[in-house]
């Protein structure tokens, strides 16, 4: 039962370990050791994007419409049965992908939306680290590590799946990427700026330093320089605040903490 409550990479590790113990119970000790090293390599090795394993769903969106004029969101989920990714591109989060007991237990989905704030485009990506049930809290640090390792793959999936939009509007590749980590543990309840989209997809962590500490707030009054007026992602932060604006409970990583920013990116 414990393996059902772990992130996708850990679930693969424990499932493979269980199978190896059942199928090779009569083998010698060295063979059992070799069997267990493969899943460990998948957990801590480099994450690789495979386009053949990505299924893209376009739900009512138009590639000719700039996301500054029409809402555009991404909902990415992973199937443990087929080992494939499903990316829904739509005007709002595709809640049908997030239904079922497995999704509520694993919480390994990633959702994102395009925003225009003060006439600048940016991509806002959300991950659930902990909260909801106890086992997620117990492995919050490991989940944070896994999400940071896998996020370049997630961003590549966004870029590959929505390549027609990015070809039509190549300036979006220079839009800043903001990563929101949702957690009931203050250490992991944070926002990180990963720099321009074209650099945030890199695996080596070598990205241009940004002096942005938090996403800029949209205009209070109705205007033409901010869109959409309200976030398309209904996730709220702990302590009753929303990611729609600045959150004093979120740890910023950027302008006032450059050393921490470099350390986090290189460590992950």
């Amino acid at each position: 039962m414990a393996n059902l409550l772990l992130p996708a990479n850990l679930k693969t590790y424990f499932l493979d370990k269980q199978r190896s113990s059942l199928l090779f119970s009569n083998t010698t000790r060295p063979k059992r050791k070799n069997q267990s090293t493969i899943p460990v390599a998948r957990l801590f090795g480099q994450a690789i994007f495979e386009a053949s394993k990505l299924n893209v769903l376009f739900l009512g969106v138009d590639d000719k419409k700039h996301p500054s004029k029409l809402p555009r969101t991404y909902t990415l989920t992973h199937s443990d049965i087929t080992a494939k990714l499903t990316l829904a591109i739509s005007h709002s989060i595709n809640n049908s992908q997030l239904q079922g007991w497995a999704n509520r237990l694993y919480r390994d989905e990633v959702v994102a939306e395009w925003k225009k704030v003060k006439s600048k485009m940016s991509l806002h990506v959300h991950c659930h680290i902990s909260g909801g049930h106890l086992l997620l809290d117990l492995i919050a640090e490991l989940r944070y590590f896994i999400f940071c390792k896998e996020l370049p793959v997630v961003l590549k999936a966004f870029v590959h799946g929505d390549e027609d939009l990015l070809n039509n509007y190549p300036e979006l590749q220079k839009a800043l990427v903001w990563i929101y980590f949702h957690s009931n543990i203050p250490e992991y309840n944070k926002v990180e700026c990963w720099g321009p989209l074209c650099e945030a997809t890199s695996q080596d962590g070598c990205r241009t330093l940004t002096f942005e500490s938090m996403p800029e707030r949209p205009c209070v009054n109705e205007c033409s320089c901010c869109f959409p007026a309200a976030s398309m992602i209904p996730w709220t932060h702990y302590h009753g605040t929303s990611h729609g604006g600045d959150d004093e409970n979120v740890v910023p990583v950027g302008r006032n903490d450059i050393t921490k920013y470099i350390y986090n990116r290189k460590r992950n």
Side-chain angles (χ1 to χ4, degrees):
M1 175 60 73
N3 62 302
L4 297 178
L5 304 178
L6 299 172
N9 289 36
L10 279 183
K11 287 180 288 180
T12 303
Y13 167 67
F14 282 105
L15 286 174
D16 287 353
K17 190 171 183 180
Q18 288 174 355
R19 293 192 189 102
S20 65
S21 64
L22 291 175
L23 296 177
F24 302 97
S25 57
N26 294 327
T27 57
T28 61
R29 186 177 301 274
K31 290 186 178 181
R32 287 204 304 271
K33 183 177 180 180
N34 291 338
Q35 288 290 330
S36 63
T37 58
I38 298 174
V40 172
R42 283 202 298 269
L43 178 60
F44 296 103
Q46 186 180 37
I48 301 174
F49 172 68
E50 298 182 54
S52 60
K53 292 186 177 181
L54 178 66
N55 179 35
V56 183
L57 306 175
F58 290 93
L59 306 177
V61 293
D62 186 349
D63 293 335
K64 297 180 180 180
K65 292 286 186 180
H66 194 280
S68 65
K69 301 182 181 299
L70 194 66
R72 200 175 192 90
T73 68
Y74 304 126
T75 307
L76 186 72
T77 54
H78 173 265
S79 171
D80 293 318
I81 299 176
T82 63
K84 290 191 175 182
L85 298 170
T86 298
L87 172 64
I89 304 176
S90 54
H91 299 313
S92 59
I93 296 305
N94 185 27
N95 288 317
S96 62
Q97 280 181 257
L98 310 179
Q99 302 302 315
W101 64 269
N103 284 34
R104 289 193 292 270
L105 286 176
Y106 304 152
R107 295 307 308 268
D108 54 2
E109 75 276 6
V110 178
V111 296
E113 66 177 333
W114 284 101
K115 283 185 177 182
K116 180 177 76 167
V117 180
K118 306 291 177 63
S119 299
K120 295 181 180 180
M121 294 300 300
S122 53
L123 182 63
H124 299 253
V125 184
H126 297 255
C127 312
H128 183 89
I129 301 299
S130 63
H133 55 78
L134 178 61
L135 286 184
L136 290 185
D137 302 344
L138 294 176
I139 58 173
E141 182 178 7
L142 183 56
R143 283 176 62 84
Y144 175 76
F145 165 79
I146 291 175
F147 270 114
C148 287
K149 184 174 74 73
E150 298 287 347
L151 274 170
V153 172
V154 171
L155 295 173
K156 285 182 180 180
F158 293 164
V159 171
H160 180 81
D162 216 3
E163 60 181 345
D164 288 341
L165 175 77
L166 295 171
N167 287 336
N168 291 334
Y169 303 101
E171 68 276 8
L172 291 177
Q173 291 276 11
K174 298 181 180 180
L176 289 181
V177 176
W178 292 94
I179 309 294
Y180 299 74
F181 297 98
H182 297 252
S183 175
N184 60 343
I185 301 174
E187 182 180 358
Y188 307 112
N189 194 52
K190 62 174 72 177
V191 179
E192 294 183 5
C193 182
W194 280 30
L197 178 60
C198 59
E199 296 181 7
T201 56
S202 67
Q203 297 282 356
D204 55 13
C206 296
R207 303 179 178 92
T208 302
L209 286 178
T210 174
F211 291 91
E212 303 286 343
S213 61
M214 290 290 286
E216 190 171 9
R217 289 187 177 188
C219 298
V220 176
N221 300 319
E222 185 176 350
C223 66
S224 60
C225 64
C226 300
F227 183 85
S231 175
M232 297 292 102
I233 298 177
W235 291 15
T236 56
H237 240 301
Y238 288 90
H239 310 294
T241 55
S242 171
H243 268 312
D246 287 350
D247 186 348
E248 63 181 2
N249 297 298
V250 178
V251 178
V253 179
R255 179 177 55 201
N256 299 321
D257 205 349
I258 294 296
T259 302
K260 185 175 180 181
Y261 176 86
I262 299 173
Y263 171 74
N264 280 341
R265 299 307 318 126
K266 287 188 175 180
R267 181 187 66 175
N268 295 319

